[in-house]
Amino acid sequence: MTIMEPYRIKVVEPIPLTTREDRERSLSRAGYNAFNLRADEVTIDLMSDSGTGAVSTAQEAAASMGDESYAGARSFYRFHGVLSELTGFPHIFPAHQGRAAERILFGALLEPGQITLSNTHFDTTRANVELLRCEARDLPCPEAADLDSQAPFKGNIDLRALEQTLTGPEGDRVGFVIMTITNNGGAGQPVSMANIEAAAAICRRSGVPFLLDAARFAENAWLVTQREPGYADVSPTEVAKRAFRLADGCVASLKKDGIAPMGAFLAMHDPEVASRCELILTATEGFRTYGGLAGHELDRLAQGLREVLEPDYLRSRAAAAAHLARLANEAGVDVVQPPGIHALYLNAGRLLPHIPPGRFPGHALACQLYLEGGIRCVELGSLYLGTLDDDYELVTPAPYELVRLALPRRVYTQSHYEYVAETLAAIAKRPESVPGYRMVETTPILRHFNSRMEPVPM
Ligand SMILES: *Cc1c(COP(=O)(O)O)cnc(C)c1O
């Protein structure tokens, strides 16, 4: 039987339907950079799953109960109650988004010159480590390098490398280990409970704090129940609870698995770390019972955190991602395997072999998806990760030329995804007609947000 969405549509928002001429004009005006497009120029927006989910009637009802008292609001206690039961941490603080939670917790934990280790640091996580003049080092597991294999937990950390670093000459410089679940920087692949347990044990032996970056804790828990031996009969809630209880602290953007436009939290066991965090929080985000969020936002999150763990919701979301992955493969576009949940990663380098890395095949595919179908997405390849010289020519390419189709929660239906697959199929029929791109203008940091590009016929 079809695995259908376990909800029906009650409020709708029209999506813009544009012509090829409209899209050519828009993309050219945008400097061939999807970040410069206006939302009303986009038909299907797969740029990000962050803050883009659809809220439920129960979330809006909860939000209407929002208590906007400055301190000790009822909304905070409802938010805190849900997270306290889920995570078991005694100290829990709201923050307005994930990067603020990172800045606060890392600021309380790190000294300049220290190293942090991760399966893969998300880009803001890395930036917050580097802003504290520390070094962020990724230790992805070896299976992650094979994009086509069906290994179930390619998001894992490399346990041997972790142990070697912690017991080696640099061991006493390691400030903390942070495990990203699911591994957003690593093609959205999940992390197994066995890997979290082993990494936590290694950290404990070395006396190094073990943290979770838990933006997609529910999606990771779902994939554990589907892929890890011994978890088939464990609920996603129970898996998530066990994962949080292995950590000394965590940060999480709730724009993902909080299914709300804004929000985050940080949490920890150590009371001294908590009081340092509380000082920074009060100075830069807000008092400990609101942390930069309104009461109605705290209530919307408290309800979203319950809904995100419902097995019927997670099953249908995973099925939608797998369905789109299958359709893309049938159309001749390879997707990083096995497909995760929050995004699909298209292998643009393989689809467009006539475009060398220096002409950005991932960016070329992303632009083509917009021109052909009004679909917005971003590349994760040499434009984002490569190094360029002063003339904006590529010096070191990224290891892979990928395009990420992020899947907003509860927003698009099966026919939207079929439309995406048909657009991909049209491109895959004549890939050689897709041009490469040259960079004409950019900024020294956060290049992908700010660059202007132009097409180069191949
Ligand atoms: C989104 C994200 C962050 C940052 O959160 P924001 O709410 O966007 O600031 C950190 N880590 C991971 C894994 C994320 O996906």
Side-chain angles (χ1 to χ4, degrees):
M1 296 287 281
T2 300
I3 298 173
M4 62 185 182
E5 295 87 350
Y7 44 83
R8 59 182 181 175
I9 295 163
K10 184 153 173 167
V11 179
V12 299
E13 178 181 63
I15 55 179
L17 300 174
T18 56
T19 65
R20 173 86 190 203
E21 292 69 44
D22 294 335
R23 297 192 290 272
E24 280 172 4
R25 213 175 313 115
S26 300
L27 197 60
S28 160
R29 192 217 70 236
Y32 296 91
N33 178 345
F35 286 100
N36 294 333
L37 290 170
R38 296 166 53 118
D40 62 12
E41 296 168 327
V42 176
T43 301
I44 305 279
D45 203 344
L46 307 183
M47 176 174 257
S48 180
D49 68 319
S50 180
T52 54
V55 294
S56 68
T57 51
Q59 278 178 290
E60 286 312 286
S64 74
M65 300 294 287
D67 176 357
E68 308 300 346
S69 302
Y70 188 90
R74 297 167 188 85
S75 301
F76 170 73
Y77 289 102
R78 292 189 280 261
F79 173 83
H80 186 275
V82 171
L83 282 175
S84 168
E85 194 186 329
L86 177 65
T87 67
F89 288 115
H91 307 283
I92 297 171
F93 303 105
H96 84 281
Q97 68 180 91
R99 63 201 73 184
E102 291 166 355
R103 176 177 55 76
I104 292 164
L105 183 58
F106 300 176
L109 286 175
L110 292 176
E111 300 288 340
Q114 284 190 304
I115 301 167
T116 63
L117 304 175
S118 178
N119 49 347
T120 309
H121 293 79
F122 178 67
D123 53 9
T124 61
T125 318
R126 168 176 297 277
N128 275 301
V129 169
E130 291 174 353
L131 281 171
L132 292 162
R133 280 181 274 140
C134 295
E135 183 198 338
R137 210 177 280 175
D138 292 336
L139 304 174
C141 67
E143 304 91 282
D146 182 349
L147 303 187
D148 302 308
S149 87
Q150 292 294 327
F153 290 106
K154 292 185 194 175
N156 283 353
I157 198 167
D158 183 337
L159 293 169
R160 265 213 4 225
L162 176 64
E163 174 109 56
Q164 275 169 5
T165 311
L166 286 174
T167 57
E170 295 176 311
D172 53 10
R173 282 176 55 211
V174 176
F176 59 74
V177 173
I178 185 160
M179 188 80 104
T180 312
I181 61 170
T182 58
N183 191 345
N184 190 7
Q189 296 288 311
V191 179
S192 71
M193 288 300 288
N195 193 254
I196 298 175
E197 280 162 12
I202 292 170
C203 289
R204 196 141 305 134
R205 280 202 294 282
S206 301
V208 169
F210 178 69
L211 310 179
L212 293 180
D213 177 351
R216 298 180 184 79
F217 69 94
E219 294 177 358
N220 200 78
W222 177 257
L223 292 171
V224 164
T225 67
Q226 300 302 295
R227 298 183 187 177
E228 188 160 356
Y231 286 90
D233 298 323
V234 185
S235 70
T237 302
E238 182 57 28
V239 174
K241 283 183 173 177
R242 290 187 202 170
F244 281 117
R245 280 160 182 76
L246 292 164
D248 300 304
C250 84
V251 286
S253 167
L254 296 177
K255 300 176 69 170
K256 287 78 175 221
D257 277 349
I259 328 188
M262 199 45 84
F265 76 101
L266 59 155
M268 66 290 302
H269 282 289
D270 187 328
E272 279 168 34
V273 174
S275 63
R276 286 202 295 278
C277 286
E278 194 182 321
L279 274 180
I280 314 175
L281 183 84
T282 311
T284 63
E285 285 281 291
F287 184 63
R288 65 170 177 270
T289 63
Y290 75 89
L293 294 170
H296 64 88
E297 293 177 300
L298 292 167
D299 269 309
R300 203 177 273 108
L301 286 165
Q303 177 61 23
L305 286 164
R306 291 194 191 95
E307 294 175 8
V308 78
L309 284 158
E310 286 168 8
D312 289 337
Y313 157 75
L314 287 165
R315 182 181 299 109
S316 102
R317 182 157 162 75
H323 180 61
L324 179 53
R326 204 161 42 242
L327 294 176
N329 273 106
E330 284 164 16
V333 181
D334 286 337
V335 174
V336 174
Q337 293 293 323
I341 296 185
H342 87 280
L344 298 180
Y345 295 73
L346 311 177
N347 193 332
R350 198 176 285 164
L351 180 70
L352 305 173
H354 64 292
I355 304 179
R359 289 288 167 262
F360 307 117
H363 188 69
L365 179 56
C367 286
Q368 206 65 21
L369 277 161
Y370 179 74
L371 291 171
E372 300 261 348
I375 298 159
R376 175 157 74 167
C377 54
V378 291
E379 78 105 57
L380 286 177
S382 292
L383 181 62
Y384 177 51
L385 296 164
T387 55
L388 306 185
D389 66 17
D390 293 340
D391 301 320
Y392 309 143
E393 286 297 328
L394 185 67
V395 180
T396 323
Y400 312 103
E401 303 296 340
L402 304 177
V403 171
R404 186 180 84 160
L405 303 183
L407 309 178
R409 292 168 182 76
R410 306 193 288 207
V411 168
Y412 292 118
T413 62
Q414 190 160 319
S415 66
H416 293 119
Y417 290 138
E418 281 163 9
Y419 171 84
V420 172
E422 285 162 14
T423 308
L424 271 174
I427 296 170
K429 274 208 190 93
R430 35 186 187 82
E432 63 294 338
S433 68
V434 177
Y437 284 80
R438 168 176 37 228
M439 188 177 286
V440 290
E441 194 183 307
T442 192
T443 51
I445 57 162
L446 301 174
R447 188 166 71 206
H448 53 293
F449 290 127
N450 302 317
S451 51
R452 295 186 73 81
M453 312 286 290
E454 70 185 17
V456 188
M458 287 287 114

